[in-house]
Amino acid sequence: MPGPDNRSVPRHVAIIMDGNGRWAQQRGLPRVAGHRAGAEALRRTLQAAADNGVEVLTIYAFSSENWRRSEEEISDLTALMRYYLERELKSLEKERVRLQLIGDYSAFGPDLVQRLEKAVERTKDNDRLTLVIALNYGSRAEIAAAVRKLAARVAAGEIQAGEIDEQSIDSELQTHDLPELDLLIRTSGEVRLSNFLLWQAAYAELLFLDTLWPDFDEKAFTHALDRFASRQRRFGGR
Ligand code: FPP
């Protein structure tokens, strides 16, 4: 899609926000300080995404593997999410950001679930940018759930097994109503997808940056968009 200055702007960007712990460690701070700084980086990135005409930003806030962290860190992360939701809801509304969730977020308990669902409900008509937060998300579990639903429809005689195709699997994923993923960014130098959007990333550009997530800012985001645009141009020229 051509952007304001005729660049190719990705419609859907996903980010694995990695490196909060190392950022804190480098400063002799507790890990939670890294997550707090990470929440600020998310705020900056959300603004930059909206300003640059990105339609959907999907962030990996908590993976299904993150339950292996210490109880203290898990409770710090959930407290931070609660605080962020409380504090940011007004600005999400002001900036016309629609919030959506993927992953089995029911695992976070009734209080946070209620706050999350309230934020989704309150922002559902916003149309500037969609922020999708992946919470207790795992891509393989998502694909398995989609396959189970299709198998149940086969068992009920609604569809034939032979009719199952890429489209029917896609339409059972939690991302079924979002545009195709164009660009996936991972910060902190790790070159892995870590069970994030495996199906959705089939044709996405993958960008692995050395920046630690708390240092990510508008400049880093526009740099990522430029890299995307130049790869698109190369591809188009072939
Ligand atoms: C990865 O860094 C980051 C996380 C597991 C959590 C991401 C959470 C935030 C950015 C907080 C804000 C989120 C919301 C939705 C308010 P890491 O701890 O794995 O870093 P390390 O690899 O350096 O240890």
Side-chain angles (χ1 to χ4, degrees):
M1 199 179 79
D5 51 9
N6 231 5
R7 283 182 318 151
S8 179
V9 176
R11 291 183 70 191
H12 184 175
V13 178
I15 307 185
I16 302 177
M17 310 181 291
D18 198 9
N20 295 348
R22 274 162 287 167
W23 184 93
Q25 195 183 21
Q26 284 172 5
R27 287 160 178 75
L29 296 169
R31 293 180 63 83
V32 65
H35 295 316
R36 272 194 214 113
E40 290 306 316
L42 172 58
R43 189 133 74 104
R44 295 192 292 270
T45 305
L46 189 62
Q47 188 68 54
D51 290 347
N52 281 280
V54 169
E55 290 171 45
V56 180
L57 182 69
T58 300
I59 52 157
Y60 211 3
F62 197 96
S63 76
S64 41
E65 286 79 26
N66 285 151
W67 295 111
R68 291 193 210 123
R69 298 195 173 194
S70 73
E71 244 177 71
E72 186 193 356
E73 185 169 358
I74 291 172
S75 103
D76 284 342
L77 273 169
T78 49
L80 191 62
M81 280 189 259
R82 198 174 288 123
Y83 174 73
Y84 187 87
L85 278 174
E86 195 68 37
R87 202 189 60 170
E88 295 298 317
L89 188 54
K90 270 204 185 75
S91 67
L92 294 182
E93 293 199 272
K94 188 164 147 265
E95 298 286 339
R96 304 206 321 275
V97 175
R98 177 170 70 137
L99 187 69
Q100 282 193 6
L101 305 167
I102 57 172
D104 181 13
Y105 61 90
S106 68
F108 289 98
D111 175 61
L112 192 52
V113 166
Q114 200 209 338
R115 285 167 196 266
L116 285 163
E117 288 178 348
K118 182 178 120 191
V120 168
E121 177 60 28
R122 287 259 296 267
T123 61
K124 70 176 187 325
D125 296 324
N126 292 343
D127 55 5
R128 186 156 170 246
L129 177 120
T130 300
L131 172 66
V132 182
I133 307 186
L135 284 171
N136 191 25
Y137 173 87
S139 196
R140 287 181 172 182
E142 180 193 30
I143 295 168
V147 170
R148 272 197 304 278
K149 282 191 206 149
L150 291 169
R153 291 181 58 200
V154 171
E158 291 169 17
I159 53 168
Q160 300 285 318
E163 285 168 23
I164 295 175
D165 58 9
E166 294 181 16
Q167 183 52 49
S168 48
I169 295 177
D170 205 79
S171 64
E172 296 294 348
L173 297 176
Q174 294 185 304
T175 51
H176 65 92
D177 57 348
L178 301 174
E180 180 94 4
L181 182 61
D182 297 309
L183 172 64
L184 188 147
I185 302 168
R186 181 172 191 149
T187 57
S188 93
E190 308 290 344
V191 185
R192 282 192 299 274
L193 291 183
S194 299
N195 203 15
F196 189 47
L197 303 177
L198 300 180
W199 175 281
Q200 295 84 344
Y203 296 104
E205 292 287 343
L206 308 180
L207 194 51
F208 298 97
L209 303 174
D210 287 334
T211 315
L212 300 176
W213 176 250
D215 291 326
F216 199 82
D217 58 12
E218 180 173 0
K219 208 167 135 225
F221 189 76
T222 50
H223 170 70
L225 294 187
D226 288 344
R227 297 263 298 265
F228 175 83
S230 68
R231 287 182 189 182
Q232 292 288 303
R233 275 198 295 276
R234 272 208 312 277
F235 181 72
R238 274 196 199 115

